Amino acid sequence: MATNHRAPTTNPPPEAGARLRTIGVLILLLGLAGAGLVYWTGAPPKDLSDDVSTAETSKKVARDIELNFGKMGLLMNDFSEDLKHPGVRAVLILAGSILVASGCFYFARLLAHGKQPGAADV
């Protein structure tokens, strides 16, 4: 009776890298389409330049937010006001998709060179 004594290989199949590259391209395209959709369909925020109750126009309101919640509270208030603009939301969607897609491309490159993700180069 013949037995097969082959050593197990640790290299992933070559189609895994191609699949990761395809996923990366799809993420980039969906991110671009989603950012464009958010930008073009998003309603611009109301013009509150003459309203004294917003932290952007009133130093007293900004100072009260800073006293009650600290610098981080003021930063978060500014960030939440910025998120009302569709351009800012579109840029965040695009940046997130670029980040995730670049991770896919990086791991596809590692798999193409036969390295295990997380393995140290010795």
Side-chain angles (χ1 to χ4, degrees):
M1 175 152 59
T3 59
N4 190 359
H5 294 293
R6 269 191 342 189
T9 60
T10 59
N11 292 338
E15 65 267 359
R19 188 176 308 131
L20 273 174
R21 281 189 291 278
T22 304
I23 290 171
V25 168
L26 284 175
I27 288 172
L28 277 177
L29 291 176
L30 287 174
L32 185 63
L37 187 70
V38 165
Y39 182 74
W40 290 110
T41 61
K46 297 177 187 174
D47 183 25
L48 299 175
S49 59
D50 58 346
D51 189 12
V52 295
S53 65
T54 61
E56 292 177 343
T57 59
S58 173
K59 287 186 180 185
K60 183 183 180 323
V61 173
R63 180 68 180 150
D64 286 343
I65 291 173
E66 188 176 351
L67 284 175
N68 290 328
F69 302 108
K71 295 271 186 192
M72 193 58 150
L74 189 61
L75 181 71
M76 290 306 295
N77 184 40
D78 291 342
F79 184 64
S80 67
E81 290 297 319
D82 287 340
L83 280 178
K84 293 179 182 176
H85 299 279
V88 173
R89 290 186 300 220
V91 167
L92 287 175
I93 291 170
L94 194 59
S97 67
I98 289 172
L99 187 67
V100 172
S102 64
C104 288
F105 294 141
Y106 174 74
F107 284 116
R109 184 172 169 255
L110 283 181
L111 290 175
H113 291 302
K115 295 180 183 176
Q116 290 294 327
D121 292 331
V122 180

